[in-house]
């Protein structure tokens, strides 16, 4: 068996681990957190790509569903897919939901994602100063809160079936509202920036189980008003869409008939939305 020369081995390893469906990488800025990507192979020849960040739900396994589910979209639309992976119990406490609210202990998950994007932009020689974001369930939590805090980083956002929502309510504190956003995160809420982003909100009309999304006194994330946006995911997402629209945001609300809490069955709607936004973005 002929051994590959050093240069050939390096090139082969890059083709296997850095393009197409990549290996799982630790984040340089915080190695407790990880990421994987789908990079269209044409990027190895210098082709410029847009970026979609796809954020997993509570089980974390949807990160791989999204990498697979968006691969064809990415290939034919010159768009890389980056899936952050935030392990359950990163502090050894078994906690599942910290990332959904952007902060947990000493981790700012919003900043971690920005660092991941910057790291991968440098690695692949891309300009990803802005990107799109999609998340479903727990990822829907993350995506709309990231958009509220960092609208300047996004060219589109797709929010899928979050269990709880942050309304743009200046009379209530985070996470129910945005009154103390600047004191908490060091950035003021800028509705005029959020209004520049095309936003999709998507949920199945049969996504009605609420055992996991009803906040009760004594719960880790319970606060006054925690359940006021509605009892089910469709009700809460409708309230979020109305809140965003009142702030001047263009919201496409897709309620998918006959679909329960099924991330795979909404991906077609998400891809249609992103394809349209990408086409309009590239015509400017």
């Amino acid at each position: 068996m002929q051994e590959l020369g050093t240069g050939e081995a390096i090139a082969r390893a890059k083709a296997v681990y850095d393009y197409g469906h990549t290996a799982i990488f630790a984040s340089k800025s915080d190695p407790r957190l990880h990421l994987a990507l789908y990079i269209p192979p044409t990027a190895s020849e210098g082709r410029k790509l847009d970026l979609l960040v796809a954020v997993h739900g509570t089980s974390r396994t949807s990160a791989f569903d999204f990498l697979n589910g968006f691969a064809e979209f990415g290939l034919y639309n010159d768009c890389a897919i980056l899936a952050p992976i935030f392990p359950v119990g990163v502090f050894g406490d078994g906690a599942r939901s910290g990332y959904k609210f952007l902060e947990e202990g000493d981790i700012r998950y919003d900043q971690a994602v920005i660092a991941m994007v910057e790291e991968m932009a440098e690695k692949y020689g891309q300009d990803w100063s802005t990107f799109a974001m999609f998340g479903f369930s727990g990822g829907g939590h993350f995506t709309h809160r990231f958009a509220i805090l960092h609208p300047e980083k996004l060219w589109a956002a797709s929010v899928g079936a979050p269990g709880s929502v942050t309304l743009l309510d200046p009379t209530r504190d985070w996470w129910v509202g945005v009154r103390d956003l600047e004191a908490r995160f060091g950035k003021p809420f800028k509705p005029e920036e959020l209004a520049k982003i095309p936003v999709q909100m998507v949920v199945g009309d049969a996504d009605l189980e609420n055992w996991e999304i009803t906040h009760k006194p004594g719960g880790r994330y319970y606060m006054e008003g925690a359940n006021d946006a509605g009892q089910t995911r469709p009700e809460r997402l409708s309230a979020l869409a109305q809140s965003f629209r009142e702030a001047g945001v263009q919201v496409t609300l897709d309620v998918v008939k006959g679909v329960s809490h099924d991330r795979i069955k909404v991906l077609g709607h998400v891809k249609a939305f992103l394809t349209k936004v990408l086409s309009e973005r590239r015509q400017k």
Side-chain angles (χ1 to χ4, degrees):
M1 181 176 176
Q2 184 178 5
E3 293 186 6
L4 293 176
T6 302
E8 291 176 280
I10 291 173
R12 181 68 178 273
K14 288 186 67 174
V16 170
Y17 299 116
D18 291 352
Y19 291 91
H21 290 279
T22 74
I24 298 173
F25 303 108
S27 170
K28 288 183 179 180
S29 67
D30 190 338
R32 294 172 294 184
L33 311 179
H34 310 112
L35 65 147
L37 306 99
Y38 174 77
I39 301 291
T42 52
S44 65
E45 303 165 2
R47 193 171 185 88
K48 296 304 179 184
L49 306 171
D50 284 292
L51 177 68
L52 168 65
V53 174
V55 186
H56 60 65
T58 307
S59 72
R60 278 64 176 174
T61 56
S62 58
F64 303 102
D65 290 337
F66 297 153
L67 289 170
N68 292 327
F70 284 109
E72 185 177 30
F73 164 84
L75 179 64
Y76 291 110
N77 288 280
D78 289 328
C79 190
I81 317 301
L82 186 157
I85 302 171
F86 305 132
V88 170
V90 71
F91 292 101
D93 57 1
R96 296 184 295 269
S97 297
Y99 79 98
K100 302 173 188 178
F101 299 89
L102 305 188
E103 59 180 352
E104 182 180 22
D106 65 342
I107 300 175
R108 280 278 303 274
Y109 289 98
D110 57 317
Q111 294 177 349
V113 166
I114 291 170
M116 289 176 183
V117 170
E118 291 174 348
E119 177 185 338
M120 292 298 112
E122 181 178 1
K123 176 181 176 72
Y124 291 102
Q126 300 288 335
D127 176 8
W128 290 336
S129 51
T130 60
F131 47 91
M133 183 175 287
F134 161 71
F136 185 86
S137 194
H141 276 255
F142 184 92
T143 297
H144 81 276
R145 295 187 179 111
F146 186 96
I148 290 169
L149 191 56
H150 301 288
E152 76 286 351
K153 300 300 295 183
L154 299 176
W155 51 260
S158 177
V159 181
S164 299
V165 296
T166 297
L167 303 182
L168 306 180
D169 185 343
T171 70
R172 291 182 171 182
D173 288 340
W174 186 268
W175 58 266
V176 171
V178 296
R179 177 170 55 192
D180 62 340
L181 196 70
E182 184 169 13
R184 191 170 193 118
F185 294 108
K187 290 186 70 175
F189 174 51
K190 295 184 177 181
E192 70 281 1
E193 292 297 321
L194 185 61
K196 295 176 183 178
I197 306 169
V199 174
Q200 178 191 44
M201 298 184 185
V202 60
V203 67
D205 70 349
D207 194 349
L208 302 177
E209 289 192 4
N210 62 7
W211 64 270
E212 192 175 19
I213 69 172
T214 301
H215 296 274
K216 297 180 180 179
R220 186 187 291 258
Y221 296 104
Y222 178 81
M223 59 186 297
E224 186 179 349
N227 301 305
D228 286 0
Q231 298 304 306
T232 65
R233 294 177 196 268
E235 289 176 0
R236 292 182 179 186
L237 200 60
S238 178
L240 183 66
Q242 182 61 28
S243 179
F244 271 46
R245 286 168 175 159
E246 289 173 356
V249 182
Q250 177 187 338
V251 177
T252 300
L253 178 60
D254 289 319
V255 180
V256 186
K257 290 185 178 180
V259 171
S260 59
H261 199 57
D262 190 330
R263 55 191 178 250
I264 301 301
K265 290 183 178 178
V266 305
L267 287 190
H269 294 268
V270 177
K271 286 184 275 191
F273 168 76
L274 292 173
T275 299
K276 179 176 182 292
V277 175
L278 263 179
S279 177
E280 294 171 350
R281 168 179 164 81
R282 290 168 178 172
Q283 290 173 13
K284 292 180 180 179

